[in-house]
Amino acid sequence: VAILSILGVLVTVIGFIFAVPVAVIIGSGILIGELVSGFFSWISGNGLFSDEMLLDMLIGGIAGGIASLFGWAAGVGAAGSSVVRWLGTRIPGWEEPFPKPLAGALAPVSTKACGIC
């Protein structure tokens, strides 16, 4: 569990330093998987850092890393799909960051907030 935790921290830090989003996602998935499975193991009656809890944390960390990798791949695949592009053309307002009524309502606020205008 300690080696997997160190691996998760290293992958996350390297991902932040070199701006590799998949590394950040996998490293944080490992750490979150360990934390969540350890918490649920502890509240289900296993002793704090007992052998059962550490095994649950190990399995949760590995599963979290694998699940985050597949989740990232599915998100990247779905974001570039033709279905998402088609859906973006059918829903009004998705082509602009703010729909026209909202942009008109925010314009006076933004000019007053800057202090220069």
Side-chain angles (χ1 to χ4, degrees):
V1 173
I3 293 171
L4 188 63
S5 298
I6 292 169
L7 179 71
V9 170
L10 285 176
V11 169
T12 305
V13 169
I14 290 171
F16 272 124
I17 291 172
F18 294 111
V20 180
V22 70
V24 175
I25 290 170
I26 292 172
S28 59
I30 290 171
L31 296 173
I32 292 171
E34 284 182 342
L35 289 173
V36 169
S37 62
F39 175 73
F40 281 114
S41 178
W42 178 60
I43 64 170
S44 69
N46 292 331
L48 189 62
F49 297 113
S50 64
D51 289 339
E52 295 87 11
M53 182 179 183
L54 292 176
L55 179 64
D56 290 342
M57 289 175 69
L58 180 68
I59 293 169
I62 293 170
I66 293 170
S68 62
L69 177 65
F70 281 112
W72 173 81
V76 168
S81 72
S82 59
V83 173
V84 173
R85 277 186 255 132
W86 175 82
L87 188 62
T89 61
R90 299 294 183 247
I91 297 177
W94 273 24
E95 65 274 354
E96 299 174 358
F98 293 108
K100 292 197 187 306
L102 184 59
L106 291 176
V109 176
S110 64
T111 57
K112 290 180 182 177
C114 74
I116 299 171
C117 304

